Amino acid sequence: MAEKLIKEMGLPKSMANVFAARNITTAKEVLSLTEFDLMHLLDVGMAQVSSAVARISEVACPPYQTALSLMEQRVQKEEHGGHLPTDLKGLDEALCGGIPFGVLTELVGPAGIGKTQFCMKLSLLASLPAVYGGLNGHVIYIDVESKFSSRRYLKHALVISIADNIFPQKILNSNSFLRMIEIGVKSFPDLFKTTGVIQEMAGRILVLRPTSLSKFTESLQQIKESHLQRQVKLLVIDSMAAIISGSLAEISRIPIVVTNQVRSQTREEGCQYSFQVQRTEDPAGYDSHLVAALGINWAHAVTIRLVLEAKSGQRFIKLAKSPMSPPLAFPFNITSAGISLLSGIGTELKGAEINRIHYHGHSDIINFDGKGCSDK
Amino acid sequence: MYRWMELGRLRISTSQRGKLISAGYSTLSSFSSLTPSHLARELMIPEEEAAQILKAASDNSRLDNTDGGQAIVNGAQTAWEMLHEEQLFPRITTSCADLDNILGGGINCKEVTEIGGVPGIGKTQLGIQIAVNVQIPVGLGGLGGKAVYIDTEGSFMVERALQIAEASVSDMSEYNDLLRKNRACQVNTKPSDILENIYYFRVCSYTEQMALINYLEKFISEHKDVKVVIVDSVTFHFRQDFEDLALRTRLLSGMALKLMNLAKTFNLAVVIFNQVTTKYTEGSFQLALALGDSWSHSCTNRVILFWNGDERYAYIDKSPSLRSASAPFSVTGKGIRNSASNHKRIKLM
């Protein structure tokens, strides 16, 4: 509504003309000025200015809904009540049914922990037909890092043979999608037996590999404008290196999943308020630990944050920020069918533990996996 | 002393001011005793316009006289009356007794309360809880009002609101049973009724935010039973790509003023949520609420939510009436509740 032009807002003719004469055309310009400033600029009386501002505000302000109608609308119009099920039982329960539509969900974790695996699984699920728990839609997968350039997964013979026959060259280049198909074949063997399914699924996943921020913004804009918008049911950004506004998610009501990297932090920088008593440095506090790469400002902007970490050789997925669930941790591992939870019951977390990203024994897991998959 | 500046302060348009000056009226007193028709002739303007100028002049002189020692001024109240009135209005409970205690009984009407904290501390949860609790009927010590929820971040989860509403309904009927042991009196509130009484606005830009704050006055005068306005969060659109900081400060203070006005006029509580940022003071980085120092003056009360070890705490950072104190709270499946630190919970991590 805020984009509407002043002359279309139904102001009295004389007022509309005065605004036009002063070259004030949008609500944004009017609302950035005080009433007093407007009086000076437009040279009209207080009463007229206030009634004009009131009118413009009324038109520019978004319409309201009651929370009840909001809920009914979600339940009736959207698949799975506005959630994309992750196929991970405990996590779905904690999130009231899966990754919610219309909000930003973030995955944070050290390299190799399984963020991309998780994204691929979600992409697959979103493109599956509804009977298999999917959203039956298109997926836009923005692969910023192009990190799946290794030919690690190519050795899976089954996948290759399928892929060789039906995939266009473009998709074959991105090995990550072979991995995704593998996850699909293992998780939904019935569905993938049917010929043509893989081609259709893969055709629904649109990969973008932007090389710069401006290209990235450009392609986001294109997605917004294109006819594809209505069919797209999931947007994955792997990984988030720059801030995008959540407005895209909101307008098209789809889940948006972004991944975030980690960086190491050497000391407890800025995690207390000035009124808090300085806690004595705990002896183990000298070694560096990991924090999410984008800072606190970004952390406020995401609605759901999932932390993937490794602790004593075990991988955990932690629900670190969510408006609908207490912070929970679930152990998981990565199998050929993708990410899977070892237990559906989460452990509740408290305090600093929620946002801490462990990586003890992490290298063991990665090395182990690497051995398993390296060319022999 | 600054006689000639008086005209500059009048709420009249530039051309009207020009006409006054060119007609030789440079001070208020020089024309304030004229009749509208006289002034109209002098300035060669319609009589209505002249009446408007005179009204603006008298409004202005009334403002000047407030410090003149007269006790009975339009819109003023004695402290005694204020005290009496304050006791009359119930407060909005947060569902956490410890938190209510340090807030002096809950969120106060007629005031703007700012609540800030790190991501994931429970700001949105507290917001939803307040939107539900404002609807506790008068018979049960509540306000029986409705809520306006302004969501700038898109973090309002209707499923979560339903959970909290369900818990609140069951608490209410429990409390009701305690209150009237013998009489069979049912609470007929349903969770869906509670959701129906939350007016949800989704704001996607700061222009919309400004427009909505302007429009609220009209909206609330049409929906008189709104007793709380929740802005979650005030910060979001003002932190993303905002280059003109002077404009930001001006817009924010204008907004704070309007919200305060709203709270006073309609006798409702305004709760605004703020994000945190890091600030470099005394040689180290510390957390502080966002939007800077000038913003920190604009709210009546300021509450900071923080992690104290493994527990969530709330701290009264600023308040004219409450002493600074802190209290633990927890976020449970039912919503905001007392901290469960007394009960040992399973801790495996």
Side-chain angles (χ1 to χ4, degrees), chain B residues 172-192:
Chain B
M172 271 195 273
S173 47
E174 222 168 86
Y175 184 67
N176 193 47
D177 292 346
L178 279 178
L179 210 63
R180 312 178 175 77
K181 271 211 172 87
N182 305 321
R183 269 173 293 167
C185 185
Q186 285 281 309
V187 173
N188 337 318
T189 326
K190 287 195 295 284
S192 59

Side-chain angles (χ1 to χ4, degrees), chain B residues 59-177:
Chain B
D59 282 351
N60 199 55
S61 55
R62 205 181 303 142
L63 282 178
D64 279 354
N65 281 339
T66 43
D67 52 359
Q70 286 153 299
I72 301 152
V73 189
N74 236 358
Q77 271 182 312
T78 64
W80 178 254
E81 280 169 352
M82 281 166 75
L83 182 69
H84 185 66
E85 202 180 275
E86 238 167 64
Q87 285 166 344
L88 274 180
F89 288 105
R91 289 157 183 253
I92 306 168
T93 169
T94 57
S95 285
C96 166
D98 295 335
L99 189 53
D100 282 352
N101 261 343
I102 61 165
L103 285 168
I107 308 280
N108 207 356
C109 283
K110 286 197 166 192
E111 279 178 8
V112 178
T113 306
E114 180 188 15
I115 302 174
V118 293
I121 189 80
K123 297 190 293 295
T124 302
Q125 309 255 0
L126 185 56
I128 297 174
Q129 185 75 59
I130 291 168
V132 168
N133 283 357
V134 73
Q135 303 179 37
I136 297 174
V138 182
L140 297 176
L143 273 84
K146 295 184 177 176
V148 166
Y149 197 103
I150 302 172
D151 184 8
T152 63
E153 301 180 356
S155 57
F156 181 84
M157 287 287 138
V158 68
E159 296 90 348
R160 183 64 180 141
L162 183 67
Q163 285 174 2
I164 292 178
E166 277 164 355
S168 169
V169 167
S170 75
D171 280 4
M172 271 195 273
S173 47
E174 222 168 86
Y175 184 67
N176 193 47
D177 292 346

Side-chain angles (χ1 to χ4, degrees), chain A residues 32 43 58 65 83 272 323, chain B residues 15 125 159 200 218 250 287:
Chain A
S32 300
D43 191 10
E58 193 176 340
Q65 274 185 300
H83 291 274
Q272 285 194 314
Chain B
S15 61
Q125 309 255 0
E159 296 90 348
Y200 173 83
K218 189 173 172 212
R250 203 176 60 203
L287 290 179

Side-chain angles (χ1 to χ4, degrees), chain A residues 18-71:
Chain A
V18 171
F19 276 114
R22 293 283 178 258
N23 218 0
I24 299 180
T25 51
T26 62
K28 185 176 177 175
E29 291 167 75
V30 176
L31 296 173
S32 300
L33 292 165
T34 62
E35 294 189 351
F36 210 72
D37 286 339
L38 280 173
M39 275 168 63
H40 274 268
L41 204 61
L42 304 176
D43 191 10
V44 289
M46 184 70 182
Q48 279 165 293
V49 168
S50 353
S51 74
V53 170
R55 174 75 200 152
I56 290 168
S57 300
E58 193 176 340
V59 177
C61 115
Y64 81 89
Q65 274 185 300
T66 66
L68 185 68
S69 70
L70 203 66
M71 188 173 71

Side-chain angles (χ1 to χ4, degrees), chain A residues 26-301:
Chain A
T26 62
K28 185 176 177 175
E29 291 167 75
V30 176
L31 296 173
S32 300
L33 292 165
T34 62
E35 294 189 351
F36 210 72
D37 286 339
L38 280 173
M39 275 168 63
H40 274 268
L41 204 61
L42 304 176
D43 191 10
V44 289
M46 184 70 182
Q48 279 165 293
V49 168
S50 353
S51 74
V53 170
R55 174 75 200 152
I56 290 168
S57 300
E58 193 176 340
V59 177
C61 115
Y64 81 89
Q65 274 185 300
T66 66
L68 185 68
S69 70
L70 203 66
M71 188 173 71
E72 282 167 353
Q73 189 188 331
R74 302 260 158 101
V75 170
Q76 284 164 11
K77 290 200 186 147
E78 291 172 357
E79 303 89 344
H80 308 291
H83 291 274
L84 166 61
T86 60
D87 201 30
L88 304 174
K89 198 165 159 278
L91 193 63
D92 279 348
E93 271 166 24
L95 290 172
C96 298
I99 310 277
F101 292 8
V103 302
L104 223 51
T105 301
E106 186 194 26
L107 298 174
V108 190
I113 190 77
K115 298 190 294 292
T116 305
Q117 301 267 353
F118 196 51
C119 289
M120 290 193 301
K121 178 140 194 182
L122 289 178
S123 310
L124 180 82
L125 287 167
S127 65
L128 283 180
V131 282
Y132 287 91
L135 299 179
N136 201 18
H138 286 248
V139 175
I140 294 179
Y141 194 108
I142 299 172
D143 186 9
V144 180
E145 294 169 352
S146 301
K147 55 186 166 189
F148 270 75
S149 56
S150 84
R151 304 188 73 79
R152 178 200 280 189
Y153 295 112
L154 274 173
K155 73 187 203 59
H156 296 285
L158 165 77
V159 178
I160 292 174
S161 62
I162 299 169
D164 272 342
N165 295 330
I166 58 170
F167 280 123
Q169 194 58 34
K170 195 175 77 192
I171 294 181
L172 192 64
N173 286 342
S174 87
N175 299 333
S176 52
F177 290 94
L178 298 184
R179 171 68 179 134
M180 189 148 45
I181 298 304
E182 191 200 356
I183 295 174
V185 172
K186 290 277 162 69
S187 323
F188 303 96
D190 303 345
L191 175 65
F192 280 83
K193 267 180 205 151
T194 331
T195 43
V197 168
I198 294 183
Q199 189 169 20
E200 193 183 342
M201 295 292 115
R204 284 179 175 177
I205 296 165
L206 188 73
V207 195
L208 291 173
R209 287 196 163 153
T211 46
S212 70
L213 183 60
S214 57
K215 281 200 182 131
F216 174 59
T217 330
E218 204 177 293
S219 38
L220 274 186
Q221 197 56 39
Q222 274 177 12
I223 295 165
K224 254 181 169 173
E225 287 158 6
S226 73
H227 67 284
L228 212 59
Q229 198 196 309
R230 263 167 287 121
Q231 297 159 2
V232 172
K233 292 292 165 105
L234 176 71
L235 176 66
V236 179
I237 300 169
D238 183 17
S239 83
M240 196 62 210
I243 290 177
I244 56 151
S245 74
S247 63
L248 184 71
E250 190 60 34
I251 294 162
S252 42
R253 294 278 317 151
I254 57 169
I256 292 195
V257 177
V258 304
T259 67
N260 192 354
Q261 298 162 338
V262 293
R263 65 183 172 90
S264 61
Q265 189 183 47
T266 43
R267 61 199 162 83
E268 299 271 331
E269 54 184 55
C271 53
Q272 285 194 314
Y273 295 97
S274 50
F275 61 81
Q276 276 178 282
V277 194
Q278 208 70 38
R279 252 180 295 152
T280 45
E281 201 76 36
D282 58 289
Y286 286 108
D287 67 343
S288 66
H289 59 275
L290 297 176
V291 292
L294 299 165
I296 200 163
N297 192 358
W298 165 253
H300 276 297

Side-chain angles (χ1 to χ4, degrees), chain A residues 1-3 27-28 31-34 36-37 39-41 43-47 53-54 56-58 60-68 70-71 74 81-83 96 100-103 243 246-247 250 267-276 278-279 296-297 299-301 303-304 309 311 316 318 320-327 329 347-355 358, chain B residues 8-17 52 116-120 123-125 128 153-163 192-193 195-208 210-212 214-215 218-219 223 236 239-240 247 250-251 274-278 281 285-289 304-312 315 317 331 341 345-349:
Chain A
M1 295 291 169
E3 289 79 35
K28 185 176 177 175
L31 296 173
S32 300
L33 292 165
T34 62
F36 210 72
D37 286 339
M39 275 168 63
H40 274 268
L41 204 61
D43 191 10
V44 289
M46 184 70 182
V53 170
I56 290 168
S57 300
E58 193 176 340
C61 115
Y64 81 89
Q65 274 185 300
T66 66
L68 185 68
L70 203 66
M71 188 173 71
R74 302 260 158 101
H83 291 274
C96 298
F101 292 8
V103 302
I243 290 177
S247 63
E250 190 60 34
R267 61 199 162 83
E268 299 271 331
E269 54 184 55
C271 53
Q272 285 194 314
Y273 295 97
S274 50
F275 61 81
Q276 276 178 282
Q278 208 70 38
R279 252 180 295 152
I296 200 163
N297 192 358
H300 276 297
T303 306
I304 293 171
E309 60 162 17
K311 202 177 169 188
F316 286 95
K318 293 198 296 196
K321 181 193 176 191
S322 149
M324 50 215 171
S325 158
T347 318
E348 193 167 341
L349 303 168
K350 282 177 176 183
E353 195 57 46
I354 294 172
N355 275 305
H358 290 280
Chain B
R9 283 165 50 195
L10 276 190
R11 297 174 139 207
I12 55 175
S13 74
T14 323
S15 61
Q16 287 169 339
R17 188 169 301 127
Q52 238 178 43
V118 293
K123 297 190 293 295
T124 302
Q125 309 255 0
I128 297 174
E153 301 180 356
S155 57
F156 181 84
M157 287 287 138
V158 68
E159 296 90 348
R160 183 64 180 141
L162 183 67
Q163 285 174 2
S192 59
D193 297 340
L195 291 190
E196 193 160 18
N197 289 337
I198 300 175
Y199 300 115
Y200 173 83
F201 289 89
R202 173 73 173 103
V203 169
C204 295
S205 70
Y206 80 86
T207 314
E208 284 188 2
M210 297 304 296
L212 178 55
N214 284 336
Y215 170 64
K218 189 173 172 212
F219 181 83
H223 299 82
F236 189 70
R239 264 182 111 177
Q240 321 287 353
L247 175 67
R250 203 176 60 203
L251 289 180
N274 195 354
Q275 304 178 339
V276 298
T277 184
T278 45
T281 37
F285 285 99
Q286 283 180 327
L287 290 179
L289 296 199
I304 296 177
L305 309 180
F306 64 102
W307 284 107
N308 187 2
D310 283 350
E311 264 187 303
R312 291 180 161 96
Y315 172 78
D317 190 44
V331 180
S341 60
R345 272 193 289 182
I346 331 138
K347 198 177 154 200
L348 288 170
M349 288 296 292

